[in-house]
Amino acid sequence: MSSFAQPLIETPLNALLLVPIAYYAYSIAFPNVKPAATIPTDWRGGYSWKPASHPKTVLYKRYTPKTLQPFNGVDSPRILLAINGKVFDVTAGGSFYGPGGPYGNFAGRDASRGMAKQSFDKGSIATDMLLPIDGPIDTLSDITPDERENMMGWVEHFSHKYIVCGELVENDAA
């Protein structure tokens, strides 16, 4: 008798354990995979889901305070804000930057001064932190070095979290 069959005959437990091992080896080598009945369209349907449509392409462009203003989440579903000359698409954070959000006053505006001064109160923003959209861009010449560093921290945070979709330029420069 062969050396492989000898231990199987001597101990029936070995023969009994060989059957499930053979079954599992067969099921791994020849899996019974059925195609999905429908293609999932969201993450709950599995890891290989296909989105309903391709996301819109965001083009880098120049914005003025006037052309930035409509992107406030009210006049447009897209929400943009600018900090230190960079325009960020914060639509993904609509609950924060959209209408009724804690930073909703910054939507469609240059938020540099408010971010530098950490002033998010709606009353002070309306009067002190946001300049009129038909005027020149805020030069921020009167902020302290600590406030400038704070503003740059916000720029870095937004750069990692949101898409930089443009630059803010003077009203007559676009």
Side-chain angles (χ1 to χ4, degrees), residues 20-160:
I21 291 171
Y23 172 77
Y24 288 125
Y26 179 82
S27 64
I28 289 171
F30 305 102
N32 185 12
V33 179
K34 295 177 184 172
T38 60
I39 297 175
T41 58
D42 68 358
W43 61 270
R44 289 185 276 300
Y47 291 110
S48 60
W49 65 278
K50 182 174 130 182
S53 65
H54 189 279
K56 291 188 175 188
T57 303
V58 178
L59 297 178
Y60 189 90
K61 62 187 259 185
R62 297 171 70 169
Y63 293 91
T64 66
K66 288 180 183 177
T67 60
L68 184 64
Q69 196 276 330
F71 298 101
N72 57 12
V74 175
D75 301 327
S76 166
R78 217 167 144 210
I79 305 170
L80 306 180
L81 65 81
I83 306 174
N84 198 39
K86 288 186 178 183
V87 178
F88 297 94
D89 186 338
V90 295
T91 307
S95 59
F96 291 102
Y97 305 102
Y103 310 110
N105 292 354
F106 292 137
R109 303 294 296 268
D110 180 7
S112 301
R113 181 170 293 276
M115 295 295 187
K117 294 187 173 280
Q118 291 289 312
S119 179
F120 309 119
D121 178 46
K122 293 183 182 201
S124 68
I125 287 176
T127 57
D128 300 336
M129 298 298 121
L130 297 173
L131 296 179
I133 61 168
D134 55 352
I137 294 176
D138 193 350
T139 61
L140 304 171
S141 59
D142 60 334
I143 65 172
T144 66
D146 286 341
E147 291 170 337
R148 184 165 301 279
E149 183 179 337
N150 188 39
M151 178 187 64
M152 296 312 291
W154 280 105
V155 170
E156 183 177 348
H157 169 74
F158 275 61
S159 295
H160 293 312

